[in-house]
Amino acid sequence: MQTTPEPTKTFSIKLERVANILRLVGWAGVWVQLVFAAASALFLVLAISGRNFNQAIAPTTQVVPGVGVSNSIGQAIPGIGIFWAIAGILVLLFNVTLAFRQTRFAKRLRHPDPRIHPRKEQIMQALRLGIIVGLVGMLLTILGGGASLGMLLAKSIAQPQGVAIYDPSRIIRSLDVFIAMANMNGITAHFLGTVASLSLFNWLYRQ
């Protein structure tokens, strides 16, 4: 009876372990980031539809100099937050494709033909790209979240206490919170994706 050489057997076990971890982390990254991307997209849809509805029914108002925020600024800042949130979602979707690529690497590592196996450098390069993309995505969504939260702070400061507000640009609306939530979801998703890629990168580096 022919037995498998010990070094070959050990190498096969190591490949199987790497493939299992790549597959687990890859699929987890795909689904977690897709869920957060869908939630961010839903918040943005609600924010954009509410913003368009408010612009259609709200009259153009003039602001007393030195009081409150102008209507043009009140419309521009939400647009900036929406822009960065959309950019963050697009980057997040690209990171989802990188996570899915990890599952393909895992499948190739299980192939009996060693020529099909991806090189370690190839996997490390893909993980390094995932870390960079995650950091870029976090930067974009942090910019959008900062703009949204700054707008909410400015509106809360500009609101007179105990007086009815007739200027819609000075009212804190649900759509303003939706934009902030979309960016916060993006930050969370990019952070989780970056942590997963960085942890996997460090683990494979020691193998």
Side-chain angles (χ1 to χ4, degrees):
M1 179 178 179
Q2 186 178 3
T3 59
T4 304
E6 191 64 27
T8 304
K9 184 178 180 181
T10 304
F11 183 72
S12 299
I13 294 175
K14 183 177 179 180
L15 278 183
E16 184 68 22
R17 183 176 58 178
V18 171
N20 288 336
I21 293 179
L22 274 177
R23 180 176 180 272
L24 177 63
V25 176
W27 281 118
V30 167
W31 289 111
V32 169
Q33 292 179 102
L34 275 180
V35 168
F36 277 102
S40 296
L42 177 60
F43 282 127
L44 282 184
V45 168
L46 294 174
I48 292 172
S49 59
R51 184 168 180 252
N52 292 338
F53 178 75
N54 286 340
Q55 287 179 353
I57 65 173
T60 304
T61 56
Q62 299 295 330
V63 182
V64 178
V67 180
V69 217
S70 70
N71 196 30
S72 59
I73 296 177
Q75 293 177 5
I77 296 180
I80 295 174
I82 291 174
F83 171 78
W84 290 121
I86 293 176
I89 291 176
L90 293 178
V91 175
L92 183 59
L93 293 178
F94 179 67
N95 221 355
V96 169
T97 63
L98 294 178
F100 180 75
R101 190 182 178 192
Q102 295 177 24
T103 65
R104 301 302 91 191
F105 284 148
K107 184 176 181 180
R108 289 169 57 186
L109 284 174
R110 287 196 172 96
H111 199 279
D113 188 357
R115 293 174 297 180
I116 305 298
H117 296 172
R119 301 189 310 274
K120 181 179 179 179
E121 295 78 13
Q122 190 177 2
I123 300 176
M124 300 289 281
Q125 184 179 4
L127 293 175
R128 189 181 296 109
L129 179 60
I131 295 171
I132 295 173
V133 170
L135 291 175
V136 171
M138 273 195 287
L139 175 62
L140 296 178
T141 46
I142 286 173
L143 291 174
S148 302
L149 293 177
M151 174 192 59
L152 291 175
L153 177 62
K155 285 187 174 184
S156 65
I157 294 175
Q159 285 184 358
Q161 301 299 320
V163 180
I165 303 174
Y166 299 100
D167 182 1
S169 68
R170 296 170 61 185
I171 301 174
I172 298 178
R173 299 161 295 181
S174 299
L175 66 92
D176 300 326
V177 181
F178 287 153
I179 298 172
M181 287 300 300
N183 282 288
M184 291 304 298
N185 278 338
I187 293 172
T188 304
H190 285 296
F191 174 78
L192 294 176
T194 303
V195 168
S197 297
L198 186 58
S199 301
L200 195 53
F201 182 89
N202 288 333
W203 180 78
L204 282 177
Y205 183 78
R206 295 193 300 266
Q207 299 302 308

